[in-house]
Amino acid sequence: MDQFMQAAIEEAQKGLEEGGIPIGSVIVHKGKILGRGHNRRVQKGSVILHGEMDAFENAGRQPASVYKECVLYTTLSPCPMCSGAIILYGIPKVIIGENKTFMGEEEHLKSRGVEVEVLQDETCINMMTNFIADKPTLWSEDIGV
């Protein structure tokens, strides 16, 4: 497995261990992790700390030129909010662990010139399938249902 997707999975597992939603993300610049994060909505009482947003927050202020050279890895297809941040900061490529349990805004990303690759990784699929079965109300809250 790609080391960066593995890092995103490790972030997702941290979120689950903390009592949150198991979605993780890393932002990679020139082969180095610039920012990593996991969904911390439950842990922080936040409305916006999805995995990708947490990774952006932890990457900190960067020049636009840096973000335009990054790849964002995420364990789950990005929602509209996270896709907006990807577009806003000019991330050119997103690698997604899986989109079977949730299909985010992949078509919107593609329409804005973002390269999207979906792995359908079994670890990511199983982690989300189990979480959704165990905590359907929390999952529905996370995706705005």
Side-chain angles (χ1 to χ4, degrees), residues 30 33 37-38 52 54 58 69 74 95 109 114 116-117 121 124 134:
K30 295 184 177 182
I33 295 176
H38 52 277
E52 299 90 339
D54 193 39
N58 292 325
E69 297 175 335
T74 182
I95 299 177
L109 289 169
V114 178
V116 175
E117 181 180 338
D121 178 82
C124 295
D134 290 344

Side-chain angles (χ1 to χ4, degrees), residues 5-93:
M5 182 52 69
Q6 182 60 46
I9 290 169
E10 289 167 6
E11 286 293 323
Q13 290 167 334
K14 282 183 193 176
L16 187 60
E17 290 166 8
E18 294 169 357
I21 299 162
I23 303 168
S25 182
V26 296
I27 300 171
V28 178
H29 181 253
K30 295 184 177 182
K32 183 177 178 186
I33 295 176
L34 184 66
R36 60 176 63 230
H38 52 277
N39 187 306
R40 296 191 307 150
R41 289 184 63 252
V42 172
Q43 301 90 312
K44 295 286 187 177
S46 171
V47 297
I48 61 168
L49 276 181
H50 282 190
E52 299 90 339
M53 301 301 279
D54 193 39
F56 273 116
E57 180 71 15
N58 292 325
R61 289 180 59 194
Q62 301 293 328
S65 60
V66 170
Y67 281 124
K68 289 179 186 339
E69 297 175 335
C70 289
V71 176
L72 185 142
Y73 289 75
T74 182
T75 58
L76 186 65
S77 187
C79 75
M81 175 179 64
C82 297
S83 295
I86 290 164
I87 291 166
L88 177 66
Y89 291 108
I91 302 287
K93 183 173 182 176

